[in-house]
């Protein structure tokens, strides 16, 4: 027997009881006559007391323990004289009568505390120790709770969780596949799924009507803080639905999760066309926790002799309320910031509307006070506001303005992490032109249906076709995305054609899906949420690694297990794989 209680369980009501608990030694405090040990497990911390006078041997044994030793302690619960109000067990302690060392431990390479002294790389190497720390334990528990709520909610709404294969056919659309050689099928390869997309559509053809899966997906892409080569999706599909049905269902799921996990009531989700998201927020995932929408000054600012504006497609402005006081230094800093390659701006023009009604700008040589007042009126700026203006090509200037808007929002403290502002971005373009390969790519994926009004355009002007697709965006983060699918074989063939596939290529790669469309495919649509990101957001954080038990580092490595790694010659021979010597 190892325990009658956990380390997070004992309260003042338990005083006088004989108990047995097990856990890890967090702290040892030796006061000569008395030794205190904080014993920790997943549920909390309980103080153990050893008294030199009543039990010298035991007390000495306790002093010899090291941090992270695993021990069990038996004794009586008593009231603490020096209470710790910060922890639920802080009113009691155990007067230990018996102590057993279950396992010793080396001194851990970093402290197992809320704030550790371990750097990222070291923590990753000893991930099993990092996971002992409270913040990580909370993250993993949060993840579990969310998964459970999702399963309950979707199951109650008649969704069935159905597993789809991990060894599938490689389909070079989308991101890069991870591929797996097949021993039994020489010179052939499986791919790991980037998502269960085609399988979930086939399940609709099979009549399963409402499917979901909390499922691992694999994409061989360059990594960032919010990306992992393997990540988890809440993947869903529904039959006999239109866009509105999907949005309503998953707005309800999202609302339920926020209520269940954070006790937050979300407002109704706004719906915003993609074109509006770009023109007003410079992003297809706008953070609408704050206003500061992009204003278009092109008509007013061009043809006044200022060549930067005259040469630009667009002149865009942001008004920062009450920020006319920004110093020269702050403005210079922002100008440098906007020129960073990741942002891609070429410069920044400012106008300060002083409280006395006068205006001063960095382009006073080219624009009269009347001009500046016209800008002010167009943008609804007020005395005391700062206006920042950027100019450039249609291709990138909206994203530059969008990035600047986010940066200003952060600097002005307008992006409260405890405030959640969800919206659906809808009506994305169906296709995106790629200059390098001189062909269209599907912006979402090739199975997304065009909006019915735009069907005819697919043959004549594919770039103009809008997709029946939607993204769920919360606080500037894309949490999920999906679409109404094509369920008609001919339309699907037309789509492949627009993507530059010959009929043969389409049949070779997607014949199974096209075939299924000939056997009574119902209208269907769905969505997938990035589960890791969703959990991180729920905790008000953005590094998804903190919410995955065993994540990869920035080079896609598991530094703990040291993967990927070389394999034996025998394994390679079995697979008939030859390495190219380097
Ligand atoms: N399979 C899509 C994705 O992974 C989501 C969807 O359309 O349901 O992005």
């Amino acid at each position: 027997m190892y325990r009658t209680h956990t380390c997070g369980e004992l309260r003042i009501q338990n005083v006088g009881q004989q108990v047995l608990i097990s856990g890890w030694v967090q702290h040892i405090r030796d006061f000569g006559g008395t030794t205190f040990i904080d014993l920790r497990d997943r549920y909390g911390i309980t103080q153990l007391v050893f008294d030199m006078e009543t039990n010298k041997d035991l007390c000495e044994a306790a002093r010899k323990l090291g941090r992270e030793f695993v021990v069990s302690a038996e004794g009586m619960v008593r009231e603490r004289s020096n209470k710790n109000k910060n922890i639920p067990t802080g009113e009691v302690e155990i007067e230990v009568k018996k102590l057993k060392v279950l396992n010793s431990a080396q001194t851990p390479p970093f402290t197992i505390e809320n704030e550790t002294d371990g750097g990222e790389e070291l923590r990753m190497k000893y991930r099993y120790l990092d996971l002992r720390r409270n913040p990580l334990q909370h993250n993993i528990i949060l993840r579990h709770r969310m998964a459970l709520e999702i399963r309950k909610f979707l199951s109650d709404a008649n969704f069935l969780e159905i597993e789809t294969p991990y060894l599938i056919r490689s389909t070079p659309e989308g991101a890069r596949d991870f591929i797996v050689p097949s021993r039994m099928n020489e010179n052939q390869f499986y791919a790991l799924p980037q998502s269960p997309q085609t399988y979930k559509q086939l399940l609709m053809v099979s009549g399963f009507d409402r499917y979901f899966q909390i499922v691992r997906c694999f994409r061989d892409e360059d990594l960032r803080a919010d990306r992992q080569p393997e990540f988890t999706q809440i993947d869903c599909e529904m039959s006999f639905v239109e866009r509105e049905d999907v949005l309503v269902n998953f707005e309800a799921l999202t609302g339920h999760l926020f209520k269940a996990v954070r006790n937050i009531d979300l407002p109704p989700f706004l719906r915003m066309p993609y074109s509006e998201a770009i023109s007003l927020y410079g992003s297809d995932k706008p953070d609408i926790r704050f206003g500061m929408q992009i204003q278009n000054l092109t008509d007013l600012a061009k043809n006044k002799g200022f060549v930067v504006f005259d040469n630009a497609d667009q002149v865009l402005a942001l008004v920062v309320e009450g920020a006319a006081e920004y110093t020269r230094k702050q403005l210079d800093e922002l100008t440098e910031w906007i020129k960073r390659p990741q942002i891609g701006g070429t410069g920044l023009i400012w106008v300060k509307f002083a409280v006395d009604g006068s205006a001063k700008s960095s382009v006073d040589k080219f624009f009269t006070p009347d001009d500046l007042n016209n800008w002010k009126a167009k943008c609804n700026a007020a005395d005391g506001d700062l206006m920042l203006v950027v100019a450039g090509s249609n291709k990138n200037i909206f994203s530059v303005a969008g990035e600047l808007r986010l940066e200003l929002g952060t600097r002005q403290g307008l992006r409260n992490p405890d405030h959640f502002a969800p919206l659906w971005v809808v009506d994305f373009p169906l296709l995106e032109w790629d200059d390098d390969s001189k062909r269209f790519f599907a912006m979402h994926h090739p199975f997304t249906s065009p909006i019915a009004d735009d069907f005819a355009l697919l043959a004549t002007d594919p770039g103009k076709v809008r997709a029946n697709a939607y993204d769920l965006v919360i606080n500037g983060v894309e949490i999920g995305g999906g679409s109404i699918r094509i369920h008609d074989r001919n339309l699907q063939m037309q789509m492949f054609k627009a993507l530059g596939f010959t009929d043969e290529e389409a049949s070779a790669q997607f014949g199974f899906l096209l075939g299924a469309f000939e056997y009574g495919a119902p209208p269907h649509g769905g969505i997938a949420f990035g589960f890791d990101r969703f959990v991180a957001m729920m905790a008000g954080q953005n590094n998804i690694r903190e919410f995955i038990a065993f994540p990869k580092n920035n080079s896609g490595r598991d530094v703990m297990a040291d993967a990927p790694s070389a394999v034996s010659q025998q394994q390679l021979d079995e697979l008939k794989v030859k390495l190219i010597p380097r």
Side-chain angles (χ1 to χ4, degrees):
M1 175 130 166
Y2 291 110
R3 52 188 181 183
T4 56
H5 295 79
T6 70
C7 296
E9 214 177 332
L10 297 172
R11 301 285 185 276
I12 198 83
Q13 300 85 282
N14 300 99
V15 166
Q17 288 177 10
Q18 287 294 327
V19 297
L20 170 62
I21 65 174
S22 295
W24 287 262
V25 172
Q26 173 97 7
H27 287 133
I28 304 176
R29 291 182 305 279
D30 182 3
F31 293 112
T34 326
T35 296
F36 295 101
I37 287 182
D38 287 343
L39 200 65
R40 184 197 73 236
D41 66 12
R42 161 189 155 191
Y43 305 92
I45 281 182
T46 296
Q47 176 163 290
L48 309 178
V49 211
F50 300 85
D51 192 34
M52 202 62 171
E53 241 166 61
T54 52
N55 197 334
K56 184 161 175 284
D57 291 349
L58 200 61
C59 195
E60 275 171 355
R63 284 178 189 170
K64 287 206 194 89
L65 297 175
R67 271 197 288 140
E68 300 306 315
F69 274 46
V70 189
V71 302
S72 68
E74 200 176 338
M76 199 180 62
V77 183
R78 70 182 197 197
E79 188 171 355
R80 271 165 82 159
S81 53
N82 193 0
K83 295 196 172 54
N84 180 352
K85 291 265 179 281
N86 298 323
I87 55 172
T89 55
E91 289 191 299
V92 295
E93 61 195 7
I94 299 175
E95 192 182 349
V96 179
K97 299 272 158 41
K98 254 197 219 151
L99 178 74
K100 201 155 148 201
V101 177
L102 302 174
N103 214 337
S104 63
Q106 292 199 37
T107 308
F110 48 84
T111 51
I112 312 292
E113 305 276 350
N114 290 0
E115 298 287 335
T116 176
D117 57 359
E120 175 91 12
E121 197 69 12
L122 199 60
R123 289 174 47 209
M124 288 280 257
K125 180 152 187 234
Y126 296 92
R127 184 65 171 179
Y128 49 90
L129 294 180
D130 201 22
L131 284 170
R132 280 188 195 164
R133 299 192 306 115
N134 266 329
L136 272 285
Q137 296 246 324
H138 284 151
N139 293 352
I140 299 300
I141 292 166
L142 172 66
R143 187 179 175 110
H144 162 81
R145 282 177 54 210
M146 279 184 65
L148 195 62
E149 285 300 332
I150 290 160
R151 290 200 161 94
K152 276 202 302 214
F153 183 93
L154 290 176
S155 178
D156 285 349
N158 263 341
F159 284 79
L160 301 172
E161 186 163 24
I162 305 175
E163 287 160 283
T164 51
Y166 279 162
L167 296 175
I168 68 168
R169 190 194 160 85
S170 175
T171 53
E173 281 300 289
R176 202 178 290 112
D177 280 336
F178 280 101
I179 57 169
V180 181
S182 165
R183 181 183 55 80
M184 289 190 284
N185 303 272
E186 203 174 305
N187 293 335
Q188 294 193 321
F189 299 84
Y190 302 101
L192 300 179
Q194 295 183 28
S195 85
Q197 185 61 37
T198 46
Y199 287 96
K200 67 173 169 175
Q201 291 191 238
L202 292 170
L203 287 171
M204 296 304 110
V205 180
S206 304
F208 283 109
D209 166 57
R210 289 179 163 213
Y211 141 96
F212 85 102
Q213 189 179 186
I214 299 183
V215 61
R216 198 68 53 80
C217 301
F218 306 84
R219 295 183 191 173
D220 191 1
E221 296 176 300
D222 294 333
L223 305 180
R224 298 194 304 245
D226 64 346
R227 271 208 201 144
Q228 283 277 307
E230 50 176 309
F231 60 98
T232 304
Q233 284 192 343
I234 313 163
D235 191 46
C236 311
E237 197 74 7
M238 306 168 79
S239 290
F240 306 113
V241 287
E242 294 179 345
R243 179 178 91 185
E244 199 51 30
D245 302 308
V246 179
L247 300 195
V248 166
N249 250 285
F250 291 97
E251 183 164 331
L253 169 67
T254 310
H256 172 78
L257 286 174
F258 271 89
K259 188 68 188 171
V261 175
R262 294 273 317 249
N263 196 23
I264 288 173
D265 293 297
L266 290 182
F269 297 12
L270 211 72
R271 276 152 217 204
M272 188 185 293
Y274 170 86
S275 55
E276 191 178 317
I278 299 294
S279 61
L280 294 182
Y281 298 93
S283 166
D284 60 1
K285 36 179 195 286
D287 184 348
I288 57 166
R289 276 175 297 182
F290 65 108
M292 206 192 288
Q293 291 176 346
I294 296 171
Q295 311 281 342
N296 203 313
L297 287 183
T298 313
D299 292 343
L300 289 177
K302 273 180 79 136
N303 304 321
K304 298 270 181 177
F306 182 47
V307 358
V308 175
F309 288 177
D310 291 349
N311 289 341
D313 295 331
Q314 303 284 343
V315 181
L316 305 177
L318 294 168
V319 175
V320 193
E321 258 175 58
E325 304 288 292
Y326 263 38
T327 61
R328 193 58 206 238
K329 188 165 163 253
Q330 282 172 299
L331 292 167
D332 287 348
E333 226 175 67
L334 275 175
T335 310
E336 284 315 305
W337 177 88
I338 210 164
K339 288 187 191 160
R340 290 186 195 179
Q342 322 78 293
I343 310 296
T346 48
L348 189 62
I349 276 104
W350 53 261
V351 189
K352 291 177 172 181
F353 298 105
V355 271
D356 65 7
S358 65
K360 193 171 165 24
S361 81
S362 55
V363 283
D364 279 349
K365 257 190 260 159
F366 302 96
F367 297 95
T368 64
D370 272 354
D371 289 329
L372 299 182
N373 272 325
N374 289 339
W375 296 6
K376 182 181 178 187
K378 168 95 201 259
C379 301
N380 278 322
D383 293 343
D385 290 351
L386 170 72
M387 181 184 287
L388 295 170
V389 186
V390 291
S393 70
N394 283 327
K395 213 169 159 193
N396 84 332
I397 199 60
F398 284 99
S399 98
V400 171
E403 292 290 343
L404 177 62
R405 175 180 172 273
L406 292 179
E407 176 67 17
L408 291 165
T410 305
R411 287 181 190 223
Q412 297 296 104
L414 303 173
R415 303 178 74 191
N416 177 355
D418 290 322
H419 175 199
F420 295 93
L423 78 155
W424 293 105
V425 178
V426 297
D427 297 350
F428 284 82
L430 184 70
L431 304 166
E432 224 174 354
W433 181 256
D434 179 55
D435 263 341
D436 292 337
S437 52
K438 300 266 176 294
R439 56 160 281 204
F440 281 111
F441 278 88
M443 191 145 173
H444 192 54
H445 52 57
F447 317 107
T448 292
S449 172
I451 287 188
D453 287 348
D454 295 355
F455 277 5
L457 282 174
L458 198 55
T460 55
D461 194 355
K464 285 250 157 57
V465 180
R466 285 165 302 163
N468 204 348
Y470 30 79
D471 274 0
L472 172 61
V473 176
I474 305 180
N475 295 0
V477 178
E478 183 199 324
I479 289 291
S483 58
I484 296 300
R485 325 298 184 188
I486 297 170
H487 65 279
D488 174 76
R489 188 182 197 282
N490 290 332
L491 187 59
Q492 187 65 67
M493 284 306 282
Q494 246 182 294
M495 177 69 173
F496 284 133
K497 199 170 192 161
L499 294 170
F501 285 57
T502 62
D503 286 1
E504 292 71 41
E505 284 167 342
S507 324
Q509 277 185 43
F510 296 107
F512 61 103
L513 186 69
L514 291 165
F517 284 177
E518 289 178 7
Y519 289 95
H524 60 285
I527 191 165
F529 294 84
F531 184 52
D532 313 285
R533 234 185 254 180
F534 205 167
V535 183
M537 153 152 304
M538 209 56 108
Q541 297 182 35
N542 48 32
N543 187 353
I544 62 169
R545 267 185 232 156
E546 303 288 306
F547 297 85
I548 298 173
F550 298 103
K552 307 279 187 289
N553 77 359
N554 267 343
S555 328
R557 296 199 69 84
D558 175 342
V559 290
M560 180 186 69
D562 199 19
S565 65
V567 296
S568 72
Q569 191 57 48
Q570 187 194 343
Q571 286 172 295
L572 291 174
D573 290 347
E574 277 171 356
L575 294 167
K576 308 258 184 332
V577 169
K578 267 214 172 65
L579 298 184
I580 303 171
R582 352 179 344 141

